[in-house]
Amino acid sequence: FGSRLESRDPPPASRQLDFHTMLRAAFVAAVSTPCLVLSTAGSKFPNAAWTKVMMTDQGLSGRGAVCLDGTDAGFYFAPAADAANAKHWQLYFEGGGWCYDPMDCWGRSNSSLGSSSSWPATVGAGGIMSDDCATNPDFCKYNRVYMKYCDGNSFSGNRAEPLVVKGLDGKDKALYFRGKRIIDAVLETLMNKYGLSTAENVLLTGCSAGGLATYLHTDYVRESLIGLGVTLKRYKSAPISGFFLLHKTVDGKDVYREEMQEIFKLANSTAGVNRYCAAAMAGSDKMWMCNFAQYAYYYTQAPIFPLNSAFDSWQAGCIFGARLVPGFPDKQQDVENGKCNVAPGYEDCLADPEKCNATQVSAVNRYITDFDTIMSKGGSFTKAGNGAFVHSCYTHCEAQSASWNTFKVGGVSMQEA
């Protein structure tokens, strides 16, 4: 595959950037041999148990920080390994896609991505969240918080009244879009009960829809902590596989835009996106754009360092090769969560880049070029101390897998960056 792409312009040069101690970031533009990594296989999960914390005092009788189905929200917590790291924290947003219309969200409300009723007692996460110091030497001893995702729109919804949907079972069900309240509830609980009030160093991260949440809320979490009296010495974010492009399909259809625009409206996410982006879009009909990573990233004020593939495997099928579900958005008759990798003639190519023909390679390269251009277009990317580790392997959430240590650009791995 790489040999068929040699005609592409050379990638931009690597940049030296300051993150953590000494961080080298690289921005790569050419597609390399596909390095398929779709799971955390080979990465070490935490050795210590992450305790499930259910925020029963923050539910419908309190703040209203609840999952789609109205059950209490929660998180998992693992304390610092020793006293020397007691003031160091990682806050992680779980991912899991989005729901796009009422019936889709009804379906999600019956799963662990919309209800806490079946959440397990413990969770694991590798790579950047591992407590194995050989895998993750910089952050392995930090306090670690795994924020469970159950609101349907990357922790951004703040709809006051529930949306009542008649489900496939013929029964009415109230759906709550309260992701922003969940963030507030998590921070308050951590402050009051788990020592976040003494934090000095905080890294915010998350993968996939959690990566998008990291873009949307990097500034909000920082400003909230400062507002709550936390004396931060260092605060940065590292969104993983969350830079989902506002981009047409390979045959020119606005599928992903329509999907994300609809959930932005359903969830009432206006107050749950980057406030600087929202201020820039105020008075226009473009506020929904702030629900996209590229706009949140452009306006982000706090230090931020994305980790992403320019040819992300989820984006390949579910943005570039997607179609709207029949009946979207108001007449969907099932709970299908988008239609991925169904663009005619591109099914094999977007599922396995090794199967792309010459014409398809050119189309894929255009997507990669668009990704490079959009991410590096001013704003946060050009701020001193910021940067990005962007490669072109066909992967998703690779910073949570063994690839955290093995993917390299210019001889520098994601972990070293």
Side-chain angles (χ1 to χ4, degrees), residues 37 39-45 126-127 132 135 400-406:
V37 179
S39 72
T40 53
S43 180
K44 295 185 178 180
F45 279 1
D132 178 74
T135 297
Q400 291 178 193
S401 74
S403 305
W404 171 242
N405 304 100
T406 59

Side-chain angles (χ1 to χ4, degrees), residues 41-282:
S43 180
K44 295 185 178 180
F45 279 1
N47 297 313
W50 295 37
T51 303
K52 182 169 66 173
V53 179
M54 298 307 300
M55 300 183 293
T56 56
D57 60 328
Q58 301 276 358
L60 289 177
S61 60
R63 186 192 297 271
V66 294
C67 297
L68 280 171
D69 70 341
T71 53
D72 294 325
F75 59 90
Y76 293 82
F77 175 71
D82 51 43
N85 286 278
K87 297 181 179 182
H88 300 166
W89 290 76
Q90 276 185 296
L91 306 177
Y92 174 87
F93 288 115
E94 183 183 45
W98 310 269
C99 56
Y100 301 123
D101 66 17
M103 189 58 74
D104 186 8
C105 293
W106 178 86
R108 176 176 283 246
S109 75
N110 298 308
S111 76
S112 62
L113 289 170
S115 173
S116 62
S117 61
S118 62
W119 286 354
T122 60
V123 296
I128 194 172
M129 293 299 290
S130 174
D131 68 357
D132 178 74
C133 291
T135 297
N136 189 32
D138 295 310
F139 310 120
C140 59
K141 296 183 178 181
Y142 280 26
N143 294 286
R144 282 161 295 127
V145 178
Y146 187 106
M147 290 180 275
K148 282 291 290 180
Y149 178 37
C150 64
D151 79 297
N153 192 28
S154 292
F155 294 84
S156 68
N158 194 26
R159 184 179 179 126
E161 297 299 324
L163 175 70
V164 178
V165 177
K166 186 177 293 292
L168 297 181
D169 58 3
K171 299 178 181 179
D172 287 343
K173 185 175 186 179
L175 301 183
Y176 298 84
F177 297 90
R178 302 284 180 79
K180 186 171 183 289
R181 299 189 199 190
I182 293 173
I183 295 176
D184 292 337
V186 169
L187 294 180
E188 181 180 290
T189 303
L190 292 172
M191 289 281 294
N192 294 339
K193 299 179 180 179
Y194 293 89
L196 183 62
S197 57
T198 65
E200 293 182 350
N201 298 324
V202 174
L203 175 68
L204 184 71
T205 187
C207 184
S208 194
L212 176 58
T214 307
Y215 286 107
L216 299 182
H217 307 304
T218 286
D219 286 335
Y220 181 74
V221 171
R222 177 179 180 273
E223 291 165 2
S224 294
L225 291 174
I226 293 172
L228 291 168
V230 179
T231 306
L232 295 172
K233 292 184 177 179
R234 177 177 293 173
Y235 174 91
K236 302 190 177 185
S237 75
I240 304 165
S241 300
F243 202 82
F244 300 99
L245 294 189
L246 173 55
H247 199 286
K248 294 180 183 294
T249 65
V250 66
D251 50 351
K253 300 182 184 300
D254 277 320
V255 173
Y256 190 57
R257 176 187 65 77
E258 292 191 36
E259 291 172 334
M260 294 300 284
Q261 194 171 357
E262 180 67 15
I263 186 56
F264 177 83
K265 178 182 69 175
L266 283 180
N268 186 32
S269 294
T270 301
V273 295
N274 181 281
R275 71 181 182 94
Y276 302 101
C277 180
M281 301 296 183

Side-chain angles (χ1 to χ4, degrees), residues 369-391:
T369 298
D370 290 343
F371 187 102
D372 294 349
T373 301
I374 291 168
M375 175 167 271
S376 58
K377 185 180 178 181
S380 291
F381 188 80
T382 58
K383 289 183 179 179
N386 283 356
F389 189 102
V390 176
H391 57 89

